[in-house]
Amino acid sequence: MKTVKTAVVGLGYIGPVHIQAIRATGLAEVIAVSHSTLDVAEAKAREMGIPKAYGDYRELLADPKVEAVHICTPNALHHDIAKGAMLAGKHVVCEKPLAIGMEDARELADIADRTGIVNAINFCIRYYPLLHQARDMVQSGVLGEILSVSGSYHQDWMLYDSDYNWRVEPEHAGPSRVIGDIGSHWFDCVEFVTGACVEQLCADIAIFHRTRKKPLQHVQTFQSKETYVADNECERVGVRTEDYASAVFRMDNGAHGTVSLSQCAAGRKNRMLVEVYGSKKSLCFDSERPGELWMGNRDKPNEMLLRDPSLMTMSAREISHLPGGHVEGYEDTMRQLFRAVYGHILEGKDRIRESVNYPTFADGLRAMTICNAVLRSQKQMSWISV
Ligand code: SOE
């Protein structure tokens, strides 16, 4: 069967996760990787059995055999790599956020729209099957009118001032950390599940550590939790990106909402919570228990749906790989998102104009628009229209 020849740029912690998830689709073959250090690229290529390794992504983009590119680098490189890839006729799967500035994000969305290149952004969390189930239930009207949504995205890997990562640095990550890094997932999931858009919001942002200890040696995402670095191997640097953000907001379906985002929430390792309260019924999804969808009732006992293809809607069933009772996880969400993308590429270019069922650069621009509104609201200390 024909497979798409694809490549991965950026080999930090998420690049190899992409490689595994691409392979699990059975629809694409990773023929090249690149990293800013050629030795790292060659070592990872050997370790994962990938034929080609590049030390410069531009050389990878010049490779005529590469048909698609996954961008897994720090955020500041997303724009140039995605633009270069699309102008070279290569399809793109980009990690979120799409870019570090609105102008760059708009340009990428325009190029994608103009060229018809397949473009996707890795809002993989919406691919927990029970979030597709939740969307279908909202769309079916079984919840009634959506009155309010609430939730959080909490982690604890940046709790101490000794925790560090490129995401702290605006020159690599952009002006926002928590909102752009995990808030983007939360708002994407809420708009995906409800089918509604955030219209106005009022935000509160906090930097709990005004300075952090930056290790003199590179530290990978989440790695600072496992490695002790002596004070004489660090330098103390100022911090300008937020550890915490919360917002109250209104949606275009009349619903009201609240969200709390933090990377300093002790004990929460990577927990996204989405609650949707309707006039007849409510739903709650907790990514620490992704195989469960809680349903709340007023006039009968509450219910708990356990992920089981035989009990779920068609769209949830289509992105479930294992039978009920066999736990699926985070990497499976990427496998399902990439399966939708590569399935679309293999269907042929003539179908690119049709609406697609996976998150595209337009969704990436949408998430950045909300993130930008949160930053503006904090600056103006007022409600902001998104
Ligand atoms: C770090 O906050 C991170 O890896 C995010 O960058 C991912 O998008 C999220 O899915 C898990 O946490």
Side-chain angles (χ1 to χ4, degrees), residues 13-14 75 95-97 122-125 153 155 157-158 165-167 177-178 180-182 184-185 221-222 263 269-270 330 334:
Y13 105 93
I14 206 68
N75 306 340
E95 267 295 341
K96 31 48 62 183
N122 193 28
F123 283 136
C124 57
I125 296 179
Y153 199 146
Q155 302 170 329
W157 65 292
M158 297 299 284
N165 182 258
W166 58 261
R167 289 173 177 73
R177 174 158 35 95
V178 162
D181 191 30
I182 53 179
S184 55
H185 278 297
T221 306
F222 289 104
Q263 289 180 329
K269 304 310 170 184
N270 185 39
Y330 183 71
M334 286 197 206

mmCIF file of all heavy atoms in Angstrom, residues 13-14 75 95-97 122-125 153 155 157-158 165-167 177-178 180-182 184-185 221-222 263 269-270 330 334, ligand 1:
data_model
loop_
_atom_site.group_PDB
_atom_site.id
_atom_site.type_symbol
_atom_site.label_atom_id
_atom_site.label_comp_id
_atom_site.label_asym_id
_atom_site.label_seq_id
_atom_site.Cartn_x
_atom_site.Cartn_y
_atom_site.Cartn_z
ATOM 1 N N TYR A 13 11.721 16.130 23.401
ATOM 2 C CA TYR A 13 10.935 14.983 23.951
ATOM 3 C C TYR A 13 9.772 14.637 23.036
ATOM 4 O O TYR A 13 9.393 13.479 22.881
ATOM 5 C CB TYR A 13 10.484 15.315 25.379
ATOM 6 C CG TYR A 13 9.028 15.677 25.562
ATOM 7 C CD1 TYR A 13 8.074 14.710 25.897
ATOM 8 C CD2 TYR A 13 8.595 16.977 25.403
ATOM 9 C CE1 TYR A 13 6.736 15.023 26.078
ATOM 10 C CE2 TYR A 13 7.267 17.309 25.580
ATOM 11 C CZ TYR A 13 6.338 16.335 25.914
ATOM 12 O OH TYR A 13 5.010 16.679 26.072
ATOM 13 N N ILE A 14 9.193 15.607 22.305
ATOM 14 C CA ILE A 14 7.949 15.306 21.563
ATOM 15 C C ILE A 14 8.249 14.764 20.160
ATOM 16 O O ILE A 14 7.432 14.014 19.604
ATOM 17 C CB ILE A 14 7.031 16.547 21.512
ATOM 18 C CG1 ILE A 14 5.557 16.131 21.363
ATOM 19 C CG2 ILE A 14 7.434 17.504 20.383
ATOM 20 C CD1 ILE A 14 4.952 15.445 22.534
ATOM 21 N N ASN A 75 9.034 26.901 19.696
ATOM 22 C CA ASN A 75 7.989 27.624 18.964
ATOM 23 C C ASN A 75 8.517 28.653 17.966
ATOM 24 O O ASN A 75 7.925 28.862 16.910
ATOM 25 C CB ASN A 75 7.080 28.345 19.971
ATOM 26 C CG ASN A 75 6.532 27.391 21.013
ATOM 27 O OD1 ASN A 75 6.506 26.170 20.803
ATOM 28 N ND2 ASN A 75 6.109 27.911 22.168
ATOM 29 N N GLU A 95 3.543 21.395 15.662
ATOM 30 C CA GLU A 95 3.211 21.419 17.085
ATOM 31 C C GLU A 95 2.613 22.792 17.420
ATOM 32 O O GLU A 95 2.848 23.790 16.725
ATOM 33 C CB GLU A 95 4.449 21.195 17.964
ATOM 34 C CG GLU A 95 4.659 19.739 18.326
ATOM 35 C CD GLU A 95 3.509 19.200 19.208
ATOM 36 O OE1 GLU A 95 2.772 19.997 19.819
ATOM 37 O OE2 GLU A 95 3.321 17.976 19.222
ATOM 38 N N LYS A 96 1.783 22.824 18.458
ATOM 39 C CA LYS A 96 1.240 24.121 18.868
ATOM 40 C C LYS A 96 2.265 24.775 19.791
ATOM 41 O O LYS A 96 3.118 24.098 20.351
ATOM 42 C CB LYS A 96 -0.110 23.964 19.579
ATOM 43 C CG LYS A 96 -0.438 22.727 20.415
ATOM 44 C CD LYS A 96 0.601 22.304 21.395
ATOM 45 C CE LYS A 96 0.890 23.333 22.439
ATOM 46 N NZ LYS A 96 1.971 22.942 23.370
ATOM 47 N N PRO A 97 2.218 26.120 19.897
ATOM 48 C CA PRO A 97 1.394 27.046 19.121
ATOM 49 C C PRO A 97 1.929 27.189 17.709
ATOM 50 O O PRO A 97 3.097 26.921 17.448
ATOM 51 C CB PRO A 97 1.516 28.363 19.911
ATOM 52 C CG PRO A 97 2.859 28.284 20.575
ATOM 53 C CD PRO A 97 3.067 26.831 20.898
ATOM 54 N N ASN A 122 -1.069 20.165 16.097
ATOM 55 C CA ASN A 122 -1.171 19.000 16.959
ATOM 56 C C ASN A 122 -1.992 19.257 18.226
ATOM 57 O O ASN A 122 -1.520 19.083 19.345
ATOM 58 C CB ASN A 122 0.225 18.484 17.335
ATOM 59 C CG ASN A 122 0.133 17.097 17.964
ATOM 60 O OD1 ASN A 122 -0.786 16.336 17.685
ATOM 61 N ND2 ASN A 122 1.081 16.780 18.834
ATOM 62 N N PHE A 123 -3.264 19.611 18.010
ATOM 63 C CA PHE A 123 -4.199 19.659 19.148
ATOM 64 C C PHE A 123 -4.713 18.237 19.379
ATOM 65 O O PHE A 123 -5.884 17.913 19.224
ATOM 66 C CB PHE A 123 -5.350 20.638 18.866
ATOM 67 C CG PHE A 123 -4.949 22.081 19.039
ATOM 68 C CD1 PHE A 123 -5.317 23.039 18.113
ATOM 69 C CD2 PHE A 123 -4.179 22.475 20.126
ATOM 70 C CE1 PHE A 123 -4.937 24.374 18.263
ATOM 71 C CE2 PHE A 123 -3.789 23.806 20.287
ATOM 72 C CZ PHE A 123 -4.172 24.744 19.354
ATOM 73 N N CYS A 124 -3.769 17.377 19.754
ATOM 74 C CA CYS A 124 -4.051 15.939 19.846
ATOM 75 C C CYS A 124 -5.019 15.601 20.971
ATOM 76 O O CYS A 124 -5.716 14.588 20.924
ATOM 77 C CB CYS A 124 -2.735 15.178 20.056
ATOM 78 S SG CYS A 124 -1.828 15.721 21.514
ATOM 79 N N ILE A 125 -5.108 16.466 22.005
ATOM 80 C CA ILE A 125 -5.917 16.093 23.176
ATOM 81 C C ILE A 125 -7.381 15.900 22.798
ATOM 82 O O ILE A 125 -8.093 15.083 23.369
ATOM 83 C CB ILE A 125 -5.728 17.103 24.329
ATOM 84 C CG1 ILE A 125 -4.265 17.047 24.807
ATOM 85 C CG2 ILE A 125 -6.664 16.810 25.489
ATOM 86 C CD1 ILE A 125 -3.921 17.994 25.915
ATOM 87 N N TYR A 153 -6.306 23.371 33.208
ATOM 88 C CA TYR A 153 -5.199 22.549 32.702
ATOM 89 C C TYR A 153 -4.051 22.808 33.676
ATOM 90 O O TYR A 153 -3.525 23.913 33.746
ATOM 91 C CB TYR A 153 -4.810 22.908 31.271
ATOM 92 C CG TYR A 153 -4.022 21.821 30.564
ATOM 93 C CD1 TYR A 153 -4.165 21.590 29.201
ATOM 94 C CD2 TYR A 153 -3.098 21.008 31.240
ATOM 95 C CE1 TYR A 153 -3.450 20.599 28.532
ATOM 96 C CE2 TYR A 153 -2.367 20.028 30.605
ATOM 97 C CZ TYR A 153 -2.545 19.821 29.254
ATOM 98 O OH TYR A 153 -1.825 18.839 28.602
ATOM 99 N N GLN A 155 -0.401 21.467 35.662
ATOM 100 C CA GLN A 155 0.801 20.637 35.692
ATOM 101 C C GLN A 155 1.669 21.113 36.871
ATOM 102 O O GLN A 155 1.424 22.196 37.426
ATOM 103 C CB GLN A 155 1.622 20.816 34.391
ATOM 104 C CG GLN A 155 0.864 20.479 33.119
ATOM 105 C CD GLN A 155 1.636 20.898 31.872
ATOM 106 O OE1 GLN A 155 2.383 21.868 31.884
ATOM 107 N NE2 GLN A 155 1.470 20.147 30.783
ATOM 108 N N TRP A 157 5.338 20.701 36.688
ATOM 109 C CA TRP A 157 6.758 20.541 36.324
ATOM 110 C C TRP A 157 7.544 21.847 36.352
ATOM 111 O O TRP A 157 8.754 21.853 36.201
ATOM 112 C CB TRP A 157 6.887 19.873 34.950
ATOM 113 C CG TRP A 157 6.372 20.661 33.789
ATOM 114 C CD1 TRP A 157 5.079 20.983 33.529
ATOM 115 C CD2 TRP A 157 7.139 21.215 32.713
ATOM 116 N NE1 TRP A 157 4.979 21.701 32.369
ATOM 117 C CE2 TRP A 157 6.231 21.862 31.836
ATOM 118 C CE3 TRP A 157 8.488 21.228 32.395
ATOM 119 C CZ2 TRP A 157 6.643 22.511 30.679
ATOM 120 C CZ3 TRP A 157 8.898 21.889 31.241
ATOM 121 C CH2 TRP A 157 7.988 22.518 30.408
ATOM 122 N N MET A 158 6.844 22.967 36.617
ATOM 123 C CA MET A 158 7.547 24.253 36.742
ATOM 124 C C MET A 158 7.333 24.858 38.130
ATOM 125 O O MET A 158 7.455 26.060 38.334
ATOM 126 C CB MET A 158 7.056 25.219 35.655
ATOM 127 C CG MET A 158 7.350 24.761 34.225
ATOM 128 S SD MET A 158 9.110 24.592 33.884
ATOM 129 C CE MET A 158 9.562 26.314 33.711
ATOM 130 N N ASN A 165 13.153 25.521 31.378
ATOM 131 C CA ASN A 165 12.853 24.960 30.056
ATOM 132 C C ASN A 165 12.842 26.105 29.056
ATOM 133 O O ASN A 165 12.603 27.264 29.429
ATOM 134 C CB ASN A 165 11.469 24.307 30.129
ATOM 135 C CG ASN A 165 11.072 23.657 28.825
ATOM 136 O OD1 ASN A 165 10.282 24.191 28.055
ATOM 137 N ND2 ASN A 165 11.646 22.498 28.541
ATOM 138 N N TRP A 166 13.073 25.795 27.788
ATOM 139 C CA TRP A 166 13.093 26.857 26.766
ATOM 140 C C TRP A 166 11.755 27.609 26.740
ATOM 141 O O TRP A 166 11.695 28.762 26.303
ATOM 142 C CB TRP A 166 13.431 26.309 25.390
ATOM 143 C CG TRP A 166 12.536 25.241 24.840
ATOM 144 C CD1 TRP A 166 12.746 23.890 24.838
ATOM 145 C CD2 TRP A 166 11.247 25.432 24.221
ATOM 146 N NE1 TRP A 166 11.686 23.240 24.268
ATOM 147 C CE2 TRP A 166 10.751 24.155 23.885
ATOM 148 C CE3 TRP A 166 10.472 26.562 23.911
ATOM 149 C CZ2 TRP A 166 9.520 23.970 23.243
ATOM 150 C CZ3 TRP A 166 9.253 26.390 23.284
ATOM 151 C CH2 TRP A 166 8.777 25.109 22.961
ATOM 152 N N ARG A 167 10.701 26.994 27.251
ATOM 153 C CA ARG A 167 9.399 27.665 27.225
ATOM 154 C C ARG A 167 9.370 28.911 28.122
ATOM 155 O O ARG A 167 8.471 29.742 27.997
ATOM 156 C CB ARG A 167 8.298 26.699 27.680
ATOM 157 C CG ARG A 167 7.973 25.597 26.676
ATOM 158 C CD ARG A 167 6.998 24.597 27.266
ATOM 159 N NE ARG A 167 6.593 23.550 26.348
ATOM 160 C CZ ARG A 167 7.348 22.534 25.948
ATOM 161 N NH1 ARG A 167 8.624 22.469 26.368
ATOM 162 N NH2 ARG A 167 6.908 21.614 25.121
ATOM 163 N N ARG A 177 3.608 31.574 28.085
ATOM 164 C CA ARG A 177 4.034 30.177 28.322
ATOM 165 C C ARG A 177 2.792 29.338 28.596
ATOM 166 O O ARG A 177 2.351 28.596 27.735
ATOM 167 C CB ARG A 177 5.011 30.100 29.485
ATOM 168 C CG ARG A 177 5.390 28.677 29.875
ATOM 169 C CD ARG A 177 6.715 28.548 30.637
ATOM 170 N NE ARG A 177 7.001 29.637 31.521
ATOM 171 C CZ ARG A 177 6.728 29.655 32.831
ATOM 172 N NH1 ARG A 177 6.157 28.630 33.397
ATOM 173 N NH2 ARG A 177 7.055 30.703 33.574
ATOM 174 N N VAL A 178 2.162 29.531 29.756
ATOM 175 C CA VAL A 178 1.074 28.652 30.156
ATOM 176 C C VAL A 178 -0.107 28.747 29.203
ATOM 177 O O VAL A 178 -0.672 27.738 28.769
ATOM 178 C CB VAL A 178 0.644 29.001 31.604
ATOM 179 C CG1 VAL A 178 -0.721 28.458 31.926
ATOM 180 C CG2 VAL A 178 1.663 28.480 32.589
ATOM 181 N N GLY A 180 -0.195 29.826 25.982
ATOM 182 C CA GLY A 180 0.136 29.310 24.645
ATOM 183 C C GLY A 180 0.427 27.823 24.660
ATOM 184 O O GLY A 180 0.080 27.105 23.711
ATOM 185 N N ASP A 181 1.028 27.327 25.745
ATOM 186 C CA ASP A 181 1.491 25.943 25.769
ATOM 187 C C ASP A 181 0.373 24.966 26.112
ATOM 188 O O ASP A 181 0.190 23.951 25.456
ATOM 189 C CB ASP A 181 2.612 25.829 26.815
ATOM 190 C CG ASP A 181 3.325 24.493 26.721
ATOM 191 O OD1 ASP A 181 3.394 23.925 25.621
ATOM 192 O OD2 ASP A 181 3.791 24.008 27.764
ATOM 193 N N ILE A 182 -0.401 25.263 27.186
ATOM 194 C CA ILE A 182 -1.458 24.316 27.576
ATOM 195 C C ILE A 182 -2.855 24.945 27.507
ATOM 196 O O ILE A 182 -3.833 24.258 27.220
ATOM 197 C CB ILE A 182 -1.196 23.729 28.983
ATOM 198 C CG1 ILE A 182 -0.974 24.814 30.030
ATOM 199 C CG2 ILE A 182 -0.023 22.759 28.921
ATOM 200 C CD1 ILE A 182 -0.741 24.247 31.445
ATOM 201 N N SER A 184 -3.843 26.701 25.126
ATOM 202 C CA SER A 184 -4.271 26.507 23.730
ATOM 203 C C SER A 184 -5.015 25.178 23.576
ATOM 204 O O SER A 184 -6.053 25.102 22.921
ATOM 205 C CB SER A 184 -3.053 26.535 22.803
ATOM 206 O OG SER A 184 -2.088 25.567 23.218
ATOM 207 N N HIS A 185 -4.519 24.122 24.233
ATOM 208 C CA HIS A 185 -5.224 22.831 24.185
ATOM 209 C C HIS A 185 -6.617 22.965 24.813
ATOM 210 O O HIS A 185 -7.601 22.445 24.270
ATOM 211 C CB HIS A 185 -4.458 21.774 25.009
ATOM 212 C CG HIS A 185 -3.315 21.132 24.320
ATOM 213 N ND1 HIS A 185 -3.451 20.353 23.186
ATOM 214 C CD2 HIS A 185 -1.996 21.135 24.617
ATOM 215 C CE1 HIS A 185 -2.261 19.901 22.816
ATOM 216 N NE2 HIS A 185 -1.364 20.361 23.671
ATOM 217 N N THR A 221 12.382 19.294 28.151
ATOM 218 C CA THR A 221 11.056 19.466 28.739
ATOM 219 C C THR A 221 10.765 18.364 29.754
ATOM 220 O O THR A 221 11.027 17.193 29.494
ATOM 221 C CB THR A 221 9.994 19.403 27.617
ATOM 222 O OG1 THR A 221 10.346 20.361 26.630
ATOM 223 C CG2 THR A 221 8.596 19.692 28.146
ATOM 224 N N PHE A 222 10.291 18.757 30.906
ATOM 225 C CA PHE A 222 9.957 17.878 32.045
ATOM 226 C C PHE A 222 11.206 17.313 32.737
ATOM 227 O O PHE A 222 11.118 16.733 33.810
ATOM 228 C CB PHE A 222 9.055 16.700 31.618
ATOM 229 C CG PHE A 222 7.644 17.097 31.267
ATOM 230 C CD1 PHE A 222 7.237 17.173 29.945
ATOM 231 C CD2 PHE A 222 6.728 17.427 32.252
ATOM 232 C CE1 PHE A 222 5.942 17.554 29.620
ATOM 233 C CE2 PHE A 222 5.428 17.802 31.926
ATOM 234 C CZ PHE A 222 5.036 17.861 30.608
ATOM 235 N N GLN A 263 1.257 25.817 35.605
ATOM 236 C CA GLN A 263 2.322 24.804 35.568
ATOM 237 C C GLN A 263 2.998 24.716 36.930
ATOM 238 O O GLN A 263 4.079 24.144 37.064
ATOM 239 C CB GLN A 263 3.337 25.165 34.458
ATOM 240 C CG GLN A 263 2.719 24.949 33.071
ATOM 241 C CD GLN A 263 3.631 25.263 31.913
ATOM 242 O OE1 GLN A 263 4.492 26.143 32.005
ATOM 243 N NE2 GLN A 263 3.434 24.554 30.808
ATOM 244 N N LYS A 269 0.051 16.255 37.214
ATOM 245 C CA LYS A 269 1.184 15.987 36.323
ATOM 246 C C LYS A 269 0.918 16.498 34.908
ATOM 247 O O LYS A 269 1.798 17.021 34.249
ATOM 248 C CB LYS A 269 1.500 14.495 36.309
ATOM 249 C CG LYS A 269 1.766 13.921 37.710
ATOM 250 C CD LYS A 269 2.787 14.753 38.498
ATOM 251 C CE LYS A 269 2.862 14.341 39.956
ATOM 252 N NZ LYS A 269 3.776 15.211 40.747
ATOM 253 N N ASN A 270 -0.285 16.348 34.435
ATOM 254 C CA ASN A 270 -0.651 16.858 33.105
ATOM 255 C C ASN A 270 -2.154 16.700 32.956
ATOM 256 O O ASN A 270 -2.653 15.934 32.146
ATOM 257 C CB ASN A 270 0.078 16.063 32.015
ATOM 258 C CG ASN A 270 -0.183 16.658 30.634
ATOM 259 O OD1 ASN A 270 -0.238 17.875 30.456
ATOM 260 N ND2 ASN A 270 -0.395 15.801 29.654
ATOM 261 N N TYR A 330 -2.143 8.978 25.809
ATOM 262 C CA TYR A 330 -1.723 10.213 25.149
ATOM 263 C C TYR A 330 -1.158 9.947 23.755
ATOM 264 O O TYR A 330 -1.547 10.598 22.785
ATOM 265 C CB TYR A 330 -0.664 10.881 26.042
ATOM 266 C CG TYR A 330 -0.147 12.211 25.580
ATOM 267 C CD1 TYR A 330 -0.948 13.345 25.630
ATOM 268 C CD2 TYR A 330 1.151 12.349 25.096
ATOM 269 C CE1 TYR A 330 -0.462 14.586 25.218
ATOM 270 C CE2 TYR A 330 1.644 13.566 24.679
ATOM 271 C CZ TYR A 330 0.836 14.693 24.751
ATOM 272 O OH TYR A 330 1.321 15.902 24.333
ATOM 273 N N MET A 334 -2.275 11.131 19.382
ATOM 274 C CA MET A 334 -1.500 11.615 18.214
ATOM 275 C C MET A 334 -1.644 10.642 17.047
ATOM 276 O O MET A 334 -1.804 11.037 15.895
ATOM 277 C CB MET A 334 -0.028 11.763 18.589
ATOM 278 C CG MET A 334 0.218 12.958 19.457
ATOM 279 S SD MET A 334 1.968 13.376 19.477
ATOM 280 C CE MET A 334 2.031 14.177 21.070
HETATM 281 C C1 SOE B 1 4.377 20.852 28.279
HETATM 282 O O1 SOE B 1 3.540 21.724 28.947
HETATM 283 C C2 SOE B 1 3.580 19.918 27.369
HETATM 284 O O2 SOE B 1 4.472 19.026 26.770
HETATM 285 C C3 SOE B 1 2.883 20.688 26.242
HETATM 286 O O3 SOE B 1 3.829 21.354 25.411
HETATM 287 C C4 SOE B 1 2.063 19.698 25.422
HETATM 288 O O4 SOE B 1 1.401 20.358 24.352
HETATM 289 C C5 SOE B 1 1.036 19.035 26.338
HETATM 290 O O5 SOE B 1 0.248 18.125 25.593
HETATM 291 C C6 SOE B 1 1.739 18.323 27.472
HETATM 292 O O6 SOE B 1 2.619 19.233 28.180
#
